[in-house]
Amino acid sequence: MNALNERQLVALVQESLPYNTQFFQQLITPYLPRLKSYCAKVLGNLADAEDAVQETIIKALNHLKGFKWIVSFKVWLFKIAHNECINKIRERRWELYDNDSDYLDTLEAPMVNEGDFTQLLSSLLDELVFVDRNIMLLRYRTGLEFQEIADICEMKLSAVKMRHKRVIDYLKAHVQAE
């Protein structure tokens, strides 16, 4: 069987559901490692990430019959995962930072041993509000484009780009200071 593209696989899955999930497995499998990695980074907990990915797969399977090509399947899948992560966070009743645009100015970079750039970057990202950290994770952990991130986060493209730029400027300033 030659490789099918995403549109063909989605069409085959929609035709074969609910009785045959072979094509669904073929459709979803390439995205599983990135979904798990994204959810683990957002939630900071592997067990919760696995639960979120499992819920994402179940919801995708249950709602695929009604899937429309407004966005790509990948974006639709990551939007489901994004919402599942938010639900997990709400379940934990985490207190999130205010969605305040000037909060970056008030953050201080944690002290990290010289030469441990990855740890520094990770600790700086952990200090960000959820929305900004999520944009960075979707961009660099999953490789999504800005428009896809905007679709997932239900934000305007310009807002996603501006938040991304602010975080990059913040990171540059704190990395150069080290």
Side-chain angles (χ1 to χ4, degrees), residues 6 10 24-36 38-39 52-64 67-69 71-85 138 142 144 148 151-152:
E6 189 176 83
V10 168
F24 180 73
Q25 289 173 337
Q26 190 177 347
L27 176 65
I28 199 97
T29 299
Y31 300 112
L32 291 178
R34 281 198 260 164
L35 276 173
K36 188 174 180 181
Y38 166 71
C39 292
V53 170
Q54 187 174 25
E55 286 298 318
T56 298
I57 292 168
I58 291 168
K59 286 186 178 178
L61 183 60
N62 288 336
H63 294 94
L64 195 59
F67 173 70
K68 305 281 189 253
W69 285 99
V71 294
S72 71
F73 176 77
K74 176 172 85 171
V75 169
W76 182 70
L77 190 62
F78 274 93
K79 184 169 181 65
I80 295 170
H82 168 80
N83 290 334
E84 282 305 311
C85 288
L138 287 169
T142 66
L144 294 172
E148 294 172 323
D151 292 339
I152 290 168

Side-chain angles (χ1 to χ4, degrees), residues 36-164:
K36 188 174 180 181
S37 173
Y38 166 71
C39 292
K41 193 67 178 166
V42 169
L43 296 170
N45 180 315
L46 193 56
D48 284 348
E50 289 172 351
D51 289 347
V53 170
Q54 187 174 25
E55 286 298 318
T56 298
I57 292 168
I58 291 168
K59 286 186 178 178
L61 183 60
N62 288 336
H63 294 94
L64 195 59
K65 278 270 191 204
F67 173 70
K68 305 281 189 253
W69 285 99
I70 297 169
V71 294
S72 71
F73 176 77
K74 176 172 85 171
V75 169
W76 182 70
L77 190 62
F78 274 93
K79 184 169 181 65
I80 295 170
H82 168 80
N83 290 334
E84 282 305 311
C85 288
I86 289 172
N87 289 341
K88 286 281 180 204
I89 290 169
R90 285 182 183 145
E91 286 173 13
R92 290 186 198 163
R93 296 193 172 128
W94 282 7
E95 292 200 11
L96 299 176
Y97 295 102
D98 289 335
N99 203 6
D100 185 289
S101 63
D102 63 358
Y103 77 95
L104 289 175
D105 298 332
T106 63
L107 292 178
E108 291 190 27
M111 296 304 290
V112 178
N113 294 336
E114 205 172 308
D116 198 354
F117 181 74
T118 304
Q119 185 179 356
L120 172 65
L121 206 52
S122 181
S123 62
L124 288 171
L125 287 172
D126 287 342
E127 296 293 322
L128 300 175
V129 285
F130 177 79
V131 174
D132 290 342
R133 187 166 41 103
N134 197 38
I135 288 169
M136 300 307 281
L137 291 173
L138 287 169
R139 179 74 174 154
Y140 297 107
R141 181 91 32 173
T142 66
L144 294 172
E145 298 297 322
F146 286 119
Q147 184 59 60
E148 294 172 323
I149 296 168
D151 292 339
I152 290 168
C153 297
E154 296 180 352
M155 296 172 69
K156 290 184 178 182
L157 177 61
S158 59
V160 170
K161 286 182 176 181
M162 179 53 75
R163 292 185 90 97
H164 177 267

Side-chain angles (χ1 to χ4, degrees), residues 1-16 23 26-27 69:
M1 177 185 222
N2 47 348
L4 299 170
N5 70 33
E6 189 176 83
R7 282 190 178 268
Q8 292 169 326
L9 269 174
V10 168
L12 286 171
V13 172
Q14 287 174 326
E15 290 172 14
S16 65
F23 292 118
Q26 190 177 347
L27 176 65
W69 285 99

